Amino acid sequence: AEIDSLANFVVAKSEGKDDAQGAELFQAKACFACHGGDAKGNIMLGSANLTDSIWRFEPAGFESAKHTIMYGVNAFGNAETRKAEMPS
């Protein structure tokens, strides 16, 4: 349920909408540590801006966000992790 809530939050942010329940969980799970309190990402960490409607992985949307939350990006030893290079 928490993963679904966070994925809904990501989709809402990408559409310029607010999601109070997801925002609360975003803070509680410390997602802000990488994505920033405003969800616009941290350039120094290479973390995604969740508010700009640019999806790194296709197809975009809820299922994509959910997969990334569940399995991470470049998570060593996790066969389901997303593979990505840091943008220049």
Side-chain angles (χ1 to χ4, degrees):
E2 287 182 337
I3 292 170
D4 284 356
S5 182
L6 284 169
N8 283 326
F9 172 78
V10 171
V11 171
K13 293 304 275 184
S14 76
E15 296 173 347
K17 300 175 185 172
D18 290 320
D19 175 350
Q21 180 182 5
E24 184 176 311
L25 198 53
F26 182 83
Q27 295 298 318
K29 296 297 181 179
C31 302
F32 63 85
C34 294
H35 293 286
D38 58 3
K40 292 189 181 216
N42 181 329
I43 293 171
M44 298 301 290
L45 296 176
S47 58
N49 178 346
L50 304 177
T51 69
D52 63 5
S53 301
I54 298 170
W55 291 84
R56 180 176 272 182
F57 305 104
E58 296 293 335
F62 177 81
E63 290 300 327
S64 181
K66 185 174 176 176
H67 185 96
T68 301
I69 292 165
M70 288 174 57
Y71 301 110
V73 176
N74 297 330
F76 180 75
N78 186 335
E80 294 295 319
T81 195
R82 302 280 180 121
K83 306 288 189 234
E85 297 296 324
M86 184 178 74
S88 60

